[in-house]
Amino acid sequence: MMDPKESPERNREKLRQEELKRNPTGNINDSFNRANNGGVVDLVGSLGWKGTLIVIVAIIIGFLIASMLF
């Protein structure tokens, strides 16, 4: 199933697409929920580990600044 040269991201996306084909009603539910909450998996997947680390550090710094002001 998995080609040795295939990246983990590509394999994950292929598995996700196969699941969507097998379960179309789950896709409708996921799309409604994703519209309300956003897709964290998509965000982290597009940023990579460095981008994710920067977002986490920014959130922590923002939380510390907000807690000092209030």
Side-chain angles (χ1 to χ4, degrees):
M1 183 169 122
M2 185 174 161
D3 185 17
K5 296 179 183 176
E6 193 171 70
S7 69
E9 293 86 10
R10 187 176 300 259
N11 187 34
R12 209 173 304 127
E13 181 64 24
K14 187 189 299 183
L15 290 173
R16 189 174 76 86
Q17 291 296 327
E18 290 174 5
E19 176 64 27
L20 292 176
K21 288 178 187 175
R22 286 193 307 261
N23 190 4
T25 56
N27 183 22
I28 294 171
N29 186 28
D30 289 344
S31 63
F32 282 126
N33 291 335
R34 185 170 292 142
N36 291 334
N37 302 330
V40 177
V41 173
D42 296 331
L43 173 67
V44 172
S46 66
L47 290 176
W49 71 270
K50 291 178 186 176
T52 305
L53 180 65
I54 291 171
V55 169
I56 291 171
V57 169
I59 290 171
I60 292 172
I61 290 173
F63 179 74
L64 291 174
I65 290 173
S67 65
M68 286 183 208
L69 293 176
F70 298 109

